[in-house]
Amino acid sequence: MALWRPLLRRTSSQKPARRSYTIYHNTPERDREPDLQVKMEGAEEPPASVAASSREKARGCWRQGWWKTVAYLVLVGLLIFIVAFLLGYVSSRVSCRTCGDFLTVVSDESPYEEEDDPGGAPLYWTDLREMFQRFLNEEKLEGTIRKMSEGPHPPGSARLDALSRHVLNAFASYGLDHYWTDSHYVGLQRPNWRQPNFLHRVNGDGVVLEKLPLGDPEVYCAYSASDIVTGGLIFANYGRRQDFATLRHRGVNPQDNLVIVRVGEISYAEKVANAEAFRARGVLIYPDPFDIPQEPRKLGLSQNTSIYGHSSGLPQIPAHPISASVAAPLLRQLRGPAAPQNWKGRLPDVPYQLGPGEPGFQLQLGIQNIKQSVMVRNIFGCIEGRFEPDNYLIVGAQRDSLGPGAARSGVGTAILLELARTFAAMVRNGFQLRRSLLFVSWDAGDFGSVGSTEWLEGYLTMLHLKAAAYISLDNAVLGYDKFFAKTSPALLSLIESIIKQVDGPNRSGQSIFEQVTEQGRPWESEVIRPLPMDSSAFAFTAFGGVPAVEFSFAEGSRPYPFLNTMADSYDNLNRALYGRLPAVAKTVAEVVGHVLIKLSHDHLLPLDYWCYGDVLLQHINRFTEYTALLKSRGLTLQWMYSARGDYTRAAEKLRKEIYSSEEHNERLLRMYNVRIMRVEFYFLSQYVAVTETPFRHILHGRGPHTLEALLEHVSLLREAPDTFDEVLFRRQLALVTWTLQGAANALSGDVWNIDNNF
């Protein structure tokens, strides 16, 4: 026991005396001993005042020493805590998988499933890939493609009803957590059997000179305006906006005439909308041999076959597909300037002039389609996630087809069902999904993705809060030579990492990435394409604000000729792929399956929220050449540049927050995932009405609020300065800038502290 022994000060006048006395220490109760005495031989008892002073000083010395000891102990303990914390933090950051590149493939040295039950063995990325490959069945893919493409199965038909029951029963047999049907009535346009559509050549008085064949009455352009129109004929290449601009530049006016355009490059809906914008009276759409092979000996399209499509958007002018055999004599009768060299196709003996025709040459197009109320059924199957069941990855495929639809809907439905079966089997064997998987079979896809769009409209206000990504399986196999991903930029890094791990269908042992880059070109230029307007993936991104992608294999030199025709059968598609249809379909399933594993399980969603800074820069750089012209009018794009800079800083701020956060903090992870998941939604303009401008995305959408519309208007400063509208320019610039600034503020998560001068 430690005892404190203070010295007692004695005065010189006092004589020593043999007296004993006791000093009581103010020690803690546990250390106190009763009646502790200190014997001082020959000492004289001091006066009371001196004794009191001595006792007070003794207590002061004791208190001072006790507090110093406590302070030293606290400092030592704090130092030990800080050192231990720093060592633990450094150790955790070394093992953190989400540092730096969030999309790095998980190492085989660390468990991929950290939430596995303690009693089960952990699964690694290699284990999951092998498990997926083990359950994926190529023969089942082949059987489903055959079944789904036995004949035409349009919405409302008995054949489609039977196929719908097959899909629903399949979901039930796989043991999915939930499966159901969503049914509703929609108005679909059908040919009028009592009053068929027609195309006539007439004279100036409207007298019919020749009745031209339109071919199969089942082949038509859905949602065309029902009307009878008469006019001359103008050749407008693919019917793109730049094609109509070329006509205007060459002095050819499509106004009050019919236009004839080639299949390809853009959708039927865009062709008709562009023709209407340039005041044409009607549209004829034909397949040119330059775009679609038409040699029957080499598996080509018959020259008497036309290709069906749809002109969704409810245009005010009629449109109809025609065959190459009908288009050729019409084009031969055109006069006027010669078409540009890159407009010339391969129709025999056609000089490809722009038109119009000889004096008195006129056509009369009569479209008399009728609208019918048809019940459409979307079929859903769901595997619930264990940790974030309210967040979904959606996989969809069109089920209907006006023709047999092997390529159009059969392959996609087969992959959809096989993915559902495979993931259900993986879950039964230990794979734990973090987020839910939703498998959807859409109806009325051949009418402009009606089934998926109707569902999107019903959940528009909450979709961006629940759906992390959408994958379309439509048109998944049109060849085997080229691999394409039509996608939102948010999925680019994930796609790159996946195609490095999946073998291509051409050569075993060589990944898709190695095949597309073997000529030394960047993989993005070979693989990435913009979202097409006639895909359900387009609606999810441009309308719903959800990152989306559509994967497909196609032929680079010889495109599949039977898409959207009555000849789109299993046999024709398999012949076009030299008997490798099931194998190529399996490769697509592998790509989609690997993407789903990453999206459904990774703690941090592998979406490129930061990539939009570069994408915006690429778009904005196109305005640079007009800076001087704008400045000459006292105008500037500075606010748009500033908003883009704010977005880049906000993305970097979020990246740093994630880098420095705790890897296993569930609350933080969910918060970060919510912000990442909504990035695509932030680019939907909140300043235009969804009823008037449904595709509100400023990068992928359509309308005056988009970056593309602003650039097109600014380009008038050089092409047609007199038509430049300064008031419209200011409005368009404001719409774009407000949306960009809103995206930056939302991504930052701290609206009040963001560094901007807007």
Side-chain angles (χ1 to χ4, degrees), residues 140-149 406 410-411 414 570 581-582 585:
K140 291 184 181 296
L141 284 168
E142 179 181 5
T144 304
I145 299 172
R146 288 185 180 276
K147 183 176 184 63
M148 297 299 299
S149 57
V411 172
Y570 178 93
L581 172 56

Side-chain angles (χ1 to χ4, degrees), residues 191 193 213-220 304-306 320-321 566:
W193 298 105
L214 286 179
D216 190 341
E218 286 286 352
V219 177
Y220 65 108
N304 297 318
T305 299
S306 51
H320 202 282
M566 295 299 168

